[in-house]
Amino acid sequence: QITFGSIFLGNVPVREEVPRCVGQIHGYKGCIRDFQVNSKELFIIDEALGGRNVENCNVPICDYHPCHNGGTCTSDAENWFCECPKLYSGKLCQFVTCDENPCGNGATCFPKSRREAVCLCPYGRSGILCSDVISINQPSFSGTDVFGYTSFLAYSTIPDITFYYEFRLKFQLVNHHSALQDNLIFFTGQKGQGLNGDDFLVLGLRDGRVVYSYNLGSGTATIISKPLDLTLNIHVIHLGRYLQKGWLKVDDQKNKTVTSPGRLVGLNVFSQFYLGGYHEYTPELLPKGSIFKNSFQGCIFDVQVRTSMNQEFKSPGTPEGHPNSGRSVGQCRDSPCSLIKCRNGGKCMESGSTVYCDCLPGWKGAFCTETVSVCDPEHDPPHLCKQGSTCMPLPNGYTCHCPLGTTGTYCEQG
């Protein structure tokens, strides 16, 4: 139950306050999204004088059936995960498993092949196995990597942005055409509901323009800037909102304004503040209207926010300026490949702080120093030994050792 003065939403605090004519009464079980009395909107959490046993109402992520390859989705009020069948791993059971995870310090293990892994490094770590400590004051984001993950930083929820907020930030783009097409700069919103009515705040790039959108629960308001002047090395953004009215100023362009549709005036968001990307594997879990397909490509710095005109601007995070988590984020203008030397024609690949060697055919290993055996899964063409048999390399070719009950060159006969 939540109390608004003499209005009780959901239930009453004690039995004696219910008029006798009402008879037996039970507390409401369910979700209440918007609450309005006459023409005044009451904010269910922010304006309540008291309450108990109230939780954030989430449409279960499992209703979207996100798990691949026969995975089973399990969720509670706050979290969800996929229970993966044998041979599969990843947030959505989308990968062949990392059988022996070599990654350290909370890195995300991705199987580059059936026997080799790439470590997607958490915030503050770098290197082949994410064992190197790095200092980051101007984070560098690498977009969506070849494995489908985005680089991102996640800060604690920004408080008190219901009615008013202002953001300032600077960014520098990499010289890639894809950096301007469909890239998320920052996002905060209700947790991955994917519904039209979800409250959210998002900033991104689309077709060379800055796109700023917000939804207060009654429709999305969007401002799109003029095309960016790509001769500028650093771009500056200043945006804000007071009740329904929002504004956006980019570089030396004129200030643009918009008014959100409907009658709601408050932004109710519960998620962390995501910078550069998002921690989920699929952007489809973001609220509709906010979706950007890729993470930011370049450097974002001097991010500041205030929630009152009388406040000073501050960096997000608790403590100030410190993210809760992150993935594949490097230091601007530093290259982790400068510390890695791939052998035998291998090419060093970097994605923020994540780094690995992409080996030529015939070579494998962290630094491309091991030859691929004719019996290895990576060999092209693959061996023909049937499942259950053992491939044994020979000086010229290979032979198949058959399990009991089979025979033939490739153990193909019963």
Side-chain angles (χ1 to χ4, degrees), residues 14-333:
V14 292
R15 184 73 177 86
E16 286 74 18
E17 295 181 10
V18 182
R20 292 185 179 182
C21 60
V22 173
Q24 187 176 7
I25 191 167
H26 299 280
Y28 174 72
K29 293 182 179 180
C31 302
I32 299 175
R33 178 180 292 274
D34 300 313
F35 183 41
Q36 186 169 313
V37 178
N38 296 327
S39 60
K40 176 176 174 56
E41 178 190 5
L42 295 180
F43 295 92
I44 294 177
I45 299 300
D46 296 319
E47 295 190 52
L49 302 179
R52 65 170 178 259
N53 299 330
V54 177
E55 297 178 349
N56 183 31
C57 184
N58 287 319
V59 176
I61 289 296
C62 291
D63 286 2
Y64 298 100
H65 306 292
C67 305
H68 299 181
N69 298 307
T72 301
C73 185
T74 302
S75 67
D76 55 29
E78 289 296 325
N79 299 300
W80 67 278
F81 63 93
C82 294
E83 295 180 9
C84 301
K86 193 174 182 180
L87 299 180
Y88 292 97
S89 68
K91 180 76 175 178
L92 304 179
C93 305
Q94 70 273 36
F95 303 133
V96 177
T97 189
C98 284
D99 291 324
E100 297 179 3
N101 186 354
C103 307
N105 302 297
T108 300
C109 178
F110 177 86
K112 187 171 65 169
S113 69
R114 295 183 69 90
R115 294 193 179 178
E116 290 188 273
V118 170
C119 301
L120 308 181
C121 296
Y123 175 74
R125 292 282 177 169
S126 184
I128 293 285
L129 299 179
C130 304
S131 55
D132 301 331
V133 177
I134 59 172
S135 177
I136 298 174
N137 53 47
Q138 289 189 350
S140 172
F141 302 88
S142 53
T144 305
D145 62 29
V146 294
F147 312 116
Y149 283 102
T150 63
S151 57
F152 77 92
L153 291 177
Y155 296 85
S156 56
T157 303
I158 298 175
D160 304 324
I161 64 171
T162 303
F163 303 110
Y164 182 92
Y165 58 74
E166 280 186 85
F167 286 88
R168 297 192 305 203
L169 61 91
K170 299 175 183 177
F171 67 86
Q172 186 176 28
L173 294 167
V174 297
N175 188 23
H176 298 160
H177 179 71
S178 60
L180 289 163
Q181 296 311 299
D182 203 358
N183 307 86
L184 181 70
I185 298 177
F186 70 62
F187 169 84
T188 185
Q190 294 182 11
K191 184 181 177 182
Q193 307 279 325
L195 304 175
N196 282 320
D198 285 349
D199 289 26
F200 67 81
L201 162 65
V202 68
L203 182 71
L205 295 169
R206 186 168 288 131
D207 298 327
R209 302 167 185 262
V210 175
V211 179
Y212 162 42
S213 293
Y214 58 91
N215 191 330
L216 309 181
S218 54
T220 301
T222 299
I223 304 176
I224 302 176
S225 75
K226 293 181 178 179
L228 290 173
D229 181 356
L230 299 183
T231 64
L232 297 175
N233 184 42
I234 294 176
H235 300 278
V236 180
I237 293 179
H238 185 190
L239 64 88
R241 179 190 65 86
Y242 175 60
L243 302 179
Q244 292 178 292
K245 185 177 180 180
W247 64 89
L248 170 70
K249 180 169 176 55
V250 178
D251 297 330
D252 292 329
Q253 299 180 18
K254 290 184 178 180
N255 189 61
K256 284 189 157 187
T257 62
V258 70
T259 301
S260 62
R263 303 177 67 178
L264 302 181
V265 298
L267 178 71
N268 296 293
V269 295
F270 312 107
S271 78
Q272 298 182 93
F273 177 75
Y274 293 98
L275 187 67
Y278 196 60
H279 76 287
E280 302 289 3
Y281 179 73
T282 53
E284 286 77 15
L285 295 177
L286 296 180
K288 293 178 181 178
S290 70
I291 296 176
F292 289 87
K293 294 180 180 178
N294 298 303
S295 162
F296 187 79
Q297 298 178 44
C299 302
I300 304 176
F301 45 94
D302 294 348
V303 180
Q304 295 182 315
V305 60
R306 68 179 180 182
T307 56
S308 168
M309 292 186 65
N310 300 321
Q311 284 183 349
E312 293 184 357
F313 281 91
K314 293 183 178 181
S315 300
T318 307
E320 184 182 346
H322 290 264
N324 294 339
S325 61
R327 178 178 57 226
S328 298
V329 174
Q331 168 66 2
C332 194
R333 291 181 291 276

Side-chain angles (χ1 to χ4, degrees), residues 307-365:
T307 56
S308 168
M309 292 186 65
N310 300 321
Q311 284 183 349
E312 293 184 357
F313 281 91
K314 293 183 178 181
S315 300
T318 307
E320 184 182 346
H322 290 264
N324 294 339
S325 61
R327 178 178 57 226
S328 298
V329 174
Q331 168 66 2
C332 194
R333 291 181 291 276
D334 282 356
S335 170
C337 276
S338 63
L339 305 175
I340 301 297
K341 187 170 181 61
C342 304
R343 307 290 180 175
N344 300 304
K347 182 179 180 182
C348 183
M349 309 294 291
E350 61 181 63
S351 178
S353 61
T354 294
V355 61
Y356 64 96
C357 290
D358 190 21
C359 304
L360 290 177
W363 296 95
K364 65 177 183 177

